[in-house]
Amino acid sequence: MIGWIDSLVLIIVIGFLVRYFFVKLRQLERVLSDSKKTELQLLENEQKISSIITHMESGILFINEIGKIQLVNDSVMRILDMEHYLIGNHHHDVTQNHELSELIDHCLENGEKRRSECYLYKSTEKIIDVNVVPLFHKTIRFLVASLYCTISLN
């Protein structure tokens, strides 16, 4: 009699364990499915943002805490009359403009956003509207500089 009861209890326990396993497996499948959807949404959003930045009329510079350029869009190249690769270079070397470099340095050092007009004298004389904004994420510190050519004089 005891052997029969022990077998029945074992079958019931195994049944509960199998049911618990399948419930957890379905929960895991849902989490993985939701995670995949979230990953696809993030990728889609990243592509949208990248497209927006690429096609903006304003120039966008992402500069890290030591002043090196991490990301630029094509408009920066046009506004600054640059033809060479900018990423990885220090902003002083790229901008070659005292006013613009001072704005960026001030933002990096003090964490304050700034806005000003700067005069560029390269192949053409330009007045550009510059906004620099510090961004902090956990331990990462960088800034975004937005450049917009308000006047181009030949």
Side-chain angles (χ1 to χ4, degrees):
M1 200 59 140
I2 293 176
W4 180 80
I5 292 176
D6 287 341
S7 296
L8 183 61
V9 169
L10 184 60
I11 290 170
I12 291 171
V13 168
I14 290 173
F16 280 121
L17 288 174
V18 168
R19 183 168 188 257
Y20 176 79
F21 172 76
F22 281 111
V23 166
K24 291 298 178 185
L25 186 61
R26 279 191 218 113
Q27 288 174 346
L28 180 60
E29 287 172 345
R30 272 187 250 126
V31 167
L32 290 174
S33 175
D34 291 346
S35 175
K36 188 66 175 174
K37 286 178 189 173
T38 302
E39 183 180 337
L40 290 173
Q41 286 173 338
L42 286 172
L43 181 60
E44 184 179 311
N45 288 342
E46 182 180 320
Q47 290 170 341
K48 286 178 184 176
I49 290 170
S50 178
S51 178
I52 290 168
I53 290 173
T54 300
H55 295 95
M56 287 177 65
E57 193 65 30
S58 295
I60 299 293
L61 287 159
F62 284 84
I63 301 171
N64 69 14
E65 68 273 3
I66 60 171
K68 293 205 173 193
I69 296 172
Q70 301 297 303
L71 178 86
V72 297
N73 66 355
D74 292 340
S75 293
V76 168
M77 306 287 279
R78 180 182 43 75
I79 292 168
L80 296 178
D81 292 327
M82 295 292 195
E83 295 178 9
H84 60 279
Y85 196 68
L86 306 178
I87 294 176
N89 293 311
H90 196 276
H91 74 87
H92 286 257
D93 300 330
V94 170
T95 61
Q96 299 176 350
N97 181 283
H98 184 70
E99 284 179 277
L100 182 53
S101 292
E102 275 189 350
L103 280 172
I104 292 169
D105 288 338
H106 181 84
C107 184
L108 285 172
E109 292 167 8
N110 301 310
E112 297 173 354
K113 63 182 177 178
R114 299 288 254 201
R115 182 190 170 278
S116 183
E117 283 187 346
C118 293
Y119 295 86
L120 295 179
Y121 305 98
K122 289 202 174 186
S123 62
T124 61
E125 185 179 340
K126 294 179 183 178
I127 300 173
I128 58 170
D129 185 54
V130 180
N131 288 287
V132 289
V133 179
L135 298 174
F136 304 100
H137 179 69
K138 297 181 182 177
T139 59
I140 300 171
R141 205 180 137 159
F142 60 99
L143 71 84
V144 176
S146 169
L147 313 175
Y148 185 77
C149 183
T150 55
I151 298 174
S152 183
L153 307 169
N154 291 338

